[in-house]
């Protein structure tokens, strides 16, 4: 048996859950000890059942029905139970011996009972515990292969009535409902592994439908119904493997389910059934998927299923047909088609689709920029440099930004025609500067000239057309050595409003400007003027301790 230690619990739970588990030690109650397990209730936001397995090939493991535990994690409740048992480790061997003795005594007692006495015992339990009765009824119906009885019981298990006071199962009752609904999985699994697997296929489908209907009226915040759905899908797959239903009929059901809302609850994937469908069934699956898609070409589930099926079968033309049915107005879908064709080695067709994407885009300003990048790259690789420049020029004309300017420059430099293209582009930006202030970046013309390292032209453009403060700051930073007087006027203008602000960010910006002001006075040969400016500033700003500290750190 595994020896419990804090190190083992911490390793399984992680530092955070381990530390949180310490706070739940006092919430552990109702401890039961078995031969190689320990279980108890742990009170959290509600009461949870936690169980530690102390033996077996995997060593120490644990299960808890809290949301975190149900995801397969070693939760804080399991940590609390483990820590509690560590305080009782001296008594644990005796408790295990007692548990084994109780189990042997119970087994011996049951073995000594006559058939009539056993029946009486079971009937008493059935009368007192309806869950026991339901489980046994399901087992009896499964053993007899009574599909009508099983179907009736399934409807009872998925009925939300007993748990919904106002037609909706609230969170507090959702667990009890899920426990009841989960009994259906066991019954269907038992039937799937019998000689009546065909019946299990039918009942699994019905159960999935009943669960989907019920889920609309249940607060499944903890995801318990989703797990039941996944388990039902697995039971259906197992039943199909055993029963080998008609491939055509199975394919039709799989497609119908995949495009239904219930698919989200079961996560059932038709492509997982290839081992059951065989070649004939997979052909039928593709055929029914096409029919579903043709009936609802813009449906996400239909398109997704079609794309996955066609890619699995390497059917590029069908993938293209799916995309063609719903072409995006900005050329994005054309680009996807072009990439598929490129992958298939059909480069000429890929280029045609990419160029069609540009033609079909009503406004080049709204085109998917990735499509423009794709086409430009194709033109460049084919040596069509003039076409690459034309495309970048058209895109820049429609969407005048610093990025499109840079892209035009790169294409034109590669083609050896940048001076002429630059002149045209700057002329266009010069007529456009007023509207470009809307982006809070000032004229794109100033950005473009700065990016070209044409500082004098950028300064003239900023003076003539206006610029954003950040652009003026950049201009001042780049010209303070050559034009210190002009740069100084910019720094002083930008610094003045910051003296009326508080906060570390404003202080850092102000200090950066002060360093620029100091540099300008240095180049002008007027350091005394800077000293007078800083002295006056300190006198008015002395209450701002963080600003004073920053100025001291920078020798201001």
């Amino acid at each position: 048996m595994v020896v419990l230690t804090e190190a083992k619990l911490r390793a399984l739970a992680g530092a955070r859950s381990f530390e949180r588990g310490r706070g739940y030690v006092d919430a552990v109650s109702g401890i039961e000890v078995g031969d190689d397990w320990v279980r108890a209730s742990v009170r959290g936001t509600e009461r949870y059942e936690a169980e530690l397995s102390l033996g077996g090939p995997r060593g120490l493991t644990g299960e808890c029905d809290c949301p975190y535990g149900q995801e397969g994690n070693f939760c804080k409740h399991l940590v609390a139970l483990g820590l509690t048992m560590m305080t009782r480790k001296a008594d644990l061997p005796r408790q295990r011996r007692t548990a084994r003795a109780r189990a042997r005594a119970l087994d011996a007692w049951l073995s000594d009972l006559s058939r009539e006495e056993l029946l009486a015992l079971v009937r008493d339990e059935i009368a007192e515990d309806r869950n026991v009765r339901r489980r046994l009824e399901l087992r009896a119906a499964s053993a007899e292969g009574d599909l009508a009885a099983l179907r009736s019981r399934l409807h009872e298990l998925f009925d939300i009535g007993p748990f919904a006071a106002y037609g909706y199962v609230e969170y507090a009752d959702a667990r009890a409902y899920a426990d009841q609904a989960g009994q259906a999985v066991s019954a269907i699994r038992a039937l799937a592994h019998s000689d009546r697997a065909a019946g299990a296929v039918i009942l699994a489908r019905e159960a999935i439908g009943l669960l989907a209907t019920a889920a609309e009226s249940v607060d499944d915040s903890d995801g318990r119904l989703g797990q039941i759905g996944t388990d039902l899908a697995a039971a259906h797959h197992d039943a199909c493997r055993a029963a080998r239903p008609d491939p055509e009929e199975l394919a039709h059901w799989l497609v119908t389910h995949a495009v239904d809302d219930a698919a989200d609850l079961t996560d059932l994937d038709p492509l997982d059934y290839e081992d059951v469908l065989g070649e004939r069934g997979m052909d039928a699956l593709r055929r029914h998927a096409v029919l579903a898609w043709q009936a609802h070409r813009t449906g996400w589930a239909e398109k997704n299923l079609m794309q996955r099926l066609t890619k699995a079968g390497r059917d590029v033309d069908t993938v293209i047909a799916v995309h063609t049915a719903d072409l995006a107005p900005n050329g994005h879908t054309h680009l996807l088609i072009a990439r598929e064709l490129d992958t298939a080695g059909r480069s000429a067709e890929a280029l045609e689709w990419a160029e069609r994407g540009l033609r079909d885009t009503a406004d080049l300003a709204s085109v998917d920029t990735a499509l423009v990048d794709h086409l430009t790259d194709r033109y460049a690789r084919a040596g069509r440099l003039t076409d690459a420049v034309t495309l970048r020029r058209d895109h820049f004309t429609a969407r005048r930004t610093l990025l499109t300017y840079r892209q035009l420059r790169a294409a034109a430099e590669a083609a050896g025609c940048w001076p002429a293209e630059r002149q045209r582009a700057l002329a266009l930006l010069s007529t456009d500067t007023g509207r470009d202030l809307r982006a809070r970046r000032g004229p794109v013309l100033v950005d473009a000239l700065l990016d070209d390292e044409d500082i004098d032209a950028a300064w003239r453009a900023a003076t003539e057309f206006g610029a954003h403060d950040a652009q003026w700051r950049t201009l001042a930073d780049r010209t303070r050595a050559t034009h210190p007087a002009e740069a100084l006027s910019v720094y002083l203008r930008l610094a003045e409003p910051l003296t009326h602000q508080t906060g570390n960010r404003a202080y850092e910006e102000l200090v950066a400007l002060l360093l620029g002001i100091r540099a300008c006075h240095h180049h002008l040969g007027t350091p005394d003027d800077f000293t007078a400016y800083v002295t006056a500033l300190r006198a008015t700003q002395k209450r701002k301790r963080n600003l004073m500290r920053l100025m001291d750190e920078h020798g201001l």
Side-chain angles (χ1 to χ4, degrees), residues 440-441 450 467-477 494:
R440 296 185 180 180
R441 287 185 52 80
L450 284 170
H468 188 273
D469 284 350
Q471 293 173 313
W472 278 117
R473 169 71 182 278
T474 301
L475 284 166
D477 288 343
L494 295 178

Side-chain angles (χ1 to χ4, degrees), residues 170-407:
E170 302 290 346
Y171 177 79
D173 299 310
R175 173 193 277 187
Y177 173 75
D179 289 343
Q180 174 178 293
Q183 295 177 24
V185 178
S186 300
I188 293 171
R189 280 176 175 163
L191 197 64
H193 292 94
S194 70
D195 57 357
R196 300 177 182 85
V201 174
I202 297 171
L203 292 180
R205 296 179 188 180
E206 290 191 25
I208 289 171
L210 292 170
L211 180 65
T213 301
E216 297 175 1
S217 303
V218 179
D219 181 349
D220 190 35
S221 300
D222 290 341
R224 291 188 175 92
L225 297 190
Q227 184 58 53
I228 293 173
T230 301
D231 292 343
L232 282 174
H236 176 264
H237 198 173
D238 288 345
C240 287
R241 287 192 183 102
R244 296 287 167 176
D246 177 68
E248 177 79 30
E249 186 277 333
L250 176 58
H252 182 262
W253 182 85
L254 288 170
V255 171
T256 302
H257 176 76
V259 300
D260 186 73
D261 291 341
D264 292 336
L265 195 62
T266 62
D267 201 25
L268 187 151
D269 187 350
L271 272 67
D272 289 342
Y273 283 73
E274 187 172 3
D275 59 333
V276 178
L277 290 167
E279 184 176 346
R280 183 166 72 92
M282 290 301 293
D283 287 342
L285 191 68
R286 295 186 186 92
R287 185 170 64 255
H288 287 296
V290 169
L291 292 173
W293 168 68
Q294 289 175 340
H296 190 203
R297 289 178 182 264
T298 58
W300 181 89
E302 289 82 356
K303 289 174 63 177
N304 179 261
L305 178 59
M306 275 293 294
Q307 290 167 6
R308 293 180 64 244
L309 278 168
T310 51
K311 284 188 175 183
R314 295 186 175 86
D315 189 348
V316 178
D317 289 321
T318 306
V319 174
I320 293 172
V322 173
H323 287 311
T324 304
D326 186 27
L327 291 173
N330 68 346
H332 175 69
T333 322
H334 300 75
L335 175 60
L336 296 180
I337 293 172
R339 287 171 174 169
E340 289 285 350
L341 288 166
D342 270 332
T343 301
R346 295 157 61 175
S347 301
E349 294 174 75
L351 183 60
E352 289 176 7
W353 267 103
E355 292 176 330
R356 176 181 164 183
L358 287 181
R359 295 194 300 270
D360 289 354
T361 302
D363 180 7
L364 201 58
S366 63
V367 72
D368 185 348
T369 56
L371 175 60
V372 178
D373 295 341
H374 175 87
L375 258 179
T376 304
D377 178 64
R378 292 297 181 277
Y379 288 153
R381 285 197 285 172
R384 297 170 57 181
L385 300 182
T386 300
D387 289 334
V389 172
T390 300
L391 176 56
R392 288 301 191 190
R393 181 196 308 134
D394 292 344
H395 192 220
F396 168 74
T397 302
R399 185 187 290 179
R400 293 184 276 275
T401 66
L402 177 59
L403 175 61
T404 55
Y405 180 82
R406 287 171 171 168
Q407 291 170 331

